[in-house]
Amino acid sequence: MEKSVIKEEIRKQGEFVRQLKLDKAEKEKIDEEVTKLLALKAQLGEDASSGKFVLKTPKGTRDYNLKQMAIRENVFDTIIKCFKRHGAGTIDTPVFELKETLTNKYGEDSKLIYDLKDQGGEMLSLRYDLTVPFARYMAMNKIQTIKRYHIAKVYRRDNPAMTRGRYREFYQCDIDIAGQYDPMIADAECLRIVYEILSALKLGDFVIKVNDRRMLDGVFAVCGCPDEKFRQACSAVDKLDKLPWEDVKAEMLEKGLTEETADKIGVYVQMSGGQELVEHLLSDKLLMTSKCAMAGLNDIKLLLRYLQIYQLGNKVSFDMSLARGLDYYTGAIFEAVLTGTAVNTNQPRIKGETVGVGSIAGGGRYDNLVGSFDPKGRSVPCVGVSIGVERIFSILEAQLKADGRKTRTNDTEVYVISPQKNFLEERMQIITELWKANIKAEMPYKRNPKLLSQLQTCEERGIPYAVIIASSEKETNTVKLRTIDTREEVSIPRENMVKEIKDRLQICKNNTDQN
């Protein structure tokens, strides 16, 4: 392409980017078009010579401000408390693995793995999830029994949809139970954990879908799907929460299934229900010819029974469309979705369009993954679940924005202030006492701040109490304790300051816990 043509393309693209900014288009769209503009400039070498540099985060990533981080910390705190309540400990693994460790573990999704250039003689890849590194860790350390949680970032070279909480860099919060146990007991606890976390976060109504990969394999087999097409058919079925059946069927036909086979599969994978559906399928003459399907159904029956005891009966659905595309699943699989994000079959939809934020938790049983890393093939049965925190963050941010609620970005409990000049050293002495007593305290970083600005800081940042020191307090060896919300002030002897503040903070904590 001639330079004059490229320059004209740059001019047009630059105008387009400027117009997007004027129209206040979505940041994701603007970033995408800026990337195209930079690519055009690179063809002329203008990106280096012009001295211009566009400040932006890489596509599929984002920065988080103080308010957003406060939301994230609250979510993480809720999740970690639940994991610990169920007896899990935590581990950590490297952010990158040997490329061969991740190869052939994710089926069609393997194309989304970020490969790194050869560094120091090793071919490496960024971790795609936390499950495969966990299995590698178990095999390396010859671990037979563990209940662990892991919260860390993972990386996927996906097409991001950032407004729906889908990124290329994002956190996963996993809990896994590994060991040789009786069927479905650990699986049921994983779903109880999902229920507790989603209930505590108050995201809205949700449903936990359950299925079994053996059930799906049995359905594919009895419906005439060739063995070598199982995983492709499974990947297509897994899109039923995003696409109407007609589109899923079309994908199956594209992948080589006959129309008769696809229609037979369609009858089964569009079923959902509870124990009554399990009983119906257990007596299905076609399915009864598959030992694989019967084994899966019997485990689902047992799982639903345990979930009823765990008081999850009204939150669980046996959903035959649930497939989960990862190759390492061997048995029960599950996924939690907000009930408002299901496919609306009454509305015309664009092929490939994603509805809502999608699943907010998912997992399943993977009994053979550890064995795939062990030199002697020794397997360790495992089941786990991952909480989709990025999507949860998107939901909570939208809720806070809609409700107009303020988010505290700090945990400061006391602000030490003075209405008079030349009291910096006294404020420093007081705040030292508070810090030594493990009270979260701050003070202004000015020698002589104005009283109004100090009080405004307390109100704007949601700091509940202010300790006030002035000449009269210094003479009487007292301080004033001001409650910011009510503006009530009481005089307290200096030696009683710490105890009085701690007592008041404890009362506030008790009231919060009761609510």
Side-chain angles (χ1 to χ4, degrees), residues 156-170:
R156 297 184 183 179
R157 194 167 49 84
D158 201 354
N159 289 321
M162 298 176 69
T163 56
R164 297 188 178 97
R166 192 169 75 228
Y167 303 91
R168 289 180 168 178
E169 176 195 60
F170 57 95

Side-chain angles (χ1 to χ4, degrees), residues 219-220 222-225 245 249 252-253 256-268 286:
V219 166
F220 296 150
V222 300
C223 291
C225 178
W245 165 247
K249 177 183 175 181
M252 285 183 166
L253 298 180
L257 272 67
T258 66
E259 186 162 0
E260 180 184 4
T261 295
D263 286 337
K264 286 181 179 179
I265 292 173
V267 171
Y268 287 105
L286 186 59

Side-chain angles (χ1 to χ4, degrees), residues 42-246:
Q43 293 183 45
L44 291 179
E46 290 185 17
D47 57 333
S49 61
S50 65
K52 292 183 180 179
F53 179 71
V54 178
L55 284 174
K56 62 184 288 291
T57 58
K59 186 177 180 181
T61 66
R62 61 178 288 194
D63 294 319
Y64 294 89
N65 61 35
L66 291 174
K67 290 183 179 180
Q68 291 164 336
M69 285 303 298
I71 295 171
R72 293 165 74 89
E73 286 185 345
N74 287 334
V75 171
F76 284 142
D77 185 54
T78 299
I79 292 171
I80 291 171
K81 282 180 179 177
C82 182
F83 288 166
K84 289 185 174 182
R85 185 164 61 245
H86 285 263
T90 188
I91 68 166
D92 195 14
T93 61
V95 72
F96 48 80
E97 295 276 350
L98 294 177
K99 183 177 179 179
E100 61 190 87
T101 299
L102 306 183
T103 303
N104 300 324
K105 300 297 189 301
Y106 302 105
E108 291 187 356
D109 287 345
S110 293
K111 63 181 180 292
L112 304 180
I113 294 173
Y114 271 110
D115 289 332
L116 305 176
K117 289 184 178 180
D118 182 0
Q119 298 289 336
E122 291 184 327
M123 297 302 294
L124 307 173
S125 297
L126 292 176
R127 62 187 174 202
Y128 178 88
D129 66 3
L130 301 178
T131 305
V132 171
F134 172 55
R136 188 267 307 153
Y137 166 86
M138 289 187 64
M140 274 184 62
N141 294 281
K142 297 180 172 56
I143 295 171
Q144 295 295 310
T145 304
I146 189 174
K147 181 189 285 187
R148 81 88 170 88
Y149 74 88
H150 190 185
I151 297 178
K153 286 183 176 181
V154 298
Y155 301 86
R156 297 184 183 179
R157 194 167 49 84
D158 201 354
N159 289 321
M162 298 176 69
T163 56
R164 297 188 178 97
R166 192 169 75 228
Y167 303 91
R168 289 180 168 178
E169 176 195 60
F170 57 95
Y171 272 99
Q172 280 192 339
C173 298
D174 285 17
I175 184 167
D176 293 81
I177 303 172
Q180 190 72 51
Y181 304 117
D182 289 332
M184 297 296 106
I185 299 175
D187 308 61
E189 183 172 5
C190 284
L191 295 186
R192 174 69 198 186
I193 289 169
V194 172
Y195 168 79
E196 289 178 9
I197 289 171
L198 298 185
S199 298
L201 292 174
K202 299 178 181 178
L203 301 172
D205 290 334
F206 61 90
V207 62
I208 302 173
K209 301 177 182 180
V210 300
N211 199 5
D212 195 292
R213 284 296 286 265
R214 294 167 296 173
M215 179 69 197
L216 283 170
D217 287 349
V219 166
F220 296 150
V222 300
C223 291
C225 178
D227 290 354
E228 65 274 13
K229 299 287 186 182
F230 274 19
R231 289 296 172 253
Q232 292 173 306
C234 191
S235 177
V237 169
D238 199 36
K239 297 173 184 174
L240 268 173
D241 64 334
K242 302 179 182 72
L243 301 173
W245 165 247
E246 290 73 19

Side-chain angles (χ1 to χ4, degrees), residues 293-486:
M294 289 295 106
L297 272 174
N298 281 310
D299 273 354
I300 288 292
K301 182 178 180 179
L302 187 59
L303 177 62
L304 293 179
R305 177 183 167 190
Y306 290 159
L307 294 177
Q308 195 71 37
I309 298 171
Y310 279 153
Q311 300 178 4
L312 269 67
N314 63 339
K315 288 292 185 181
V316 176
S317 171
F318 172 32
D319 192 319
M320 296 277 285
S321 71
L322 180 62
R324 297 198 62 80
L326 301 180
D327 273 5
Y328 52 64
Y329 288 124
T330 58
I333 50 178
F334 24 83
E335 193 166 270
V337 297
L338 295 184
T339 52
T341 65
V343 173
N344 183 350
T345 55
N346 296 323
Q347 294 293 329
R349 301 178 58 251
I350 301 170
K351 183 175 181 179
E353 179 187 5
T354 302
V355 179
V357 296
S359 69
I360 48 178
R365 177 159 289 280
Y366 52 102
D367 289 346
N368 300 329
L369 188 56
V370 176
S372 70
F373 292 116
D374 191 280
K376 296 182 179 179
R378 291 169 295 198
S379 63
V380 180
C382 300
V383 63
V385 66
S386 179
I387 309 298
V389 287
E390 301 295 347
R391 290 174 175 177
I392 290 173
F393 297 148
S394 296
I395 295 166
L396 292 177
E397 284 178 25
Q399 287 179 353
L400 286 171
K401 186 175 181 181
D403 296 344
R405 284 180 284 165
K406 289 185 177 180
T407 303
R408 282 201 68 183
T409 60
N410 65 87
D411 293 333
T412 305
E413 297 164 327
V414 178
Y415 204 56
V416 182
I417 66 178
S418 176
Q420 296 175 330
K421 293 182 178 181
N422 301 320
F423 272 83
L424 172 62
E425 293 186 5
E426 286 78 5
R427 285 188 283 129
M428 294 175 78
Q429 290 170 358
I430 289 173
I431 203 169
T432 301
E433 289 182 46
L434 298 177
W435 287 338
K436 286 175 69 176
N438 290 320
I439 294 172
K440 300 166 185 171
E442 286 187 88
M443 69 176 192
Y445 294 121
K446 288 188 175 182
R447 292 185 61 86
N448 299 307
K450 294 181 179 179
L451 178 62
L452 182 59
S453 68
Q454 296 173 86
L455 295 175
Q456 284 178 336
T457 297
C458 293
E459 292 178 356
E460 290 170 359
R461 295 178 58 189
I463 300 171
Y465 296 105
V467 169
I468 304 173
I469 180 72
S471 56
S472 59
E473 285 77 30
K474 185 176 180 180
E475 291 172 2
T476 58
N477 199 29
T478 61
V479 295
K480 280 183 183 176
L481 183 61
R482 180 184 176 101
T483 304
I484 300 302
D485 282 347
T486 63

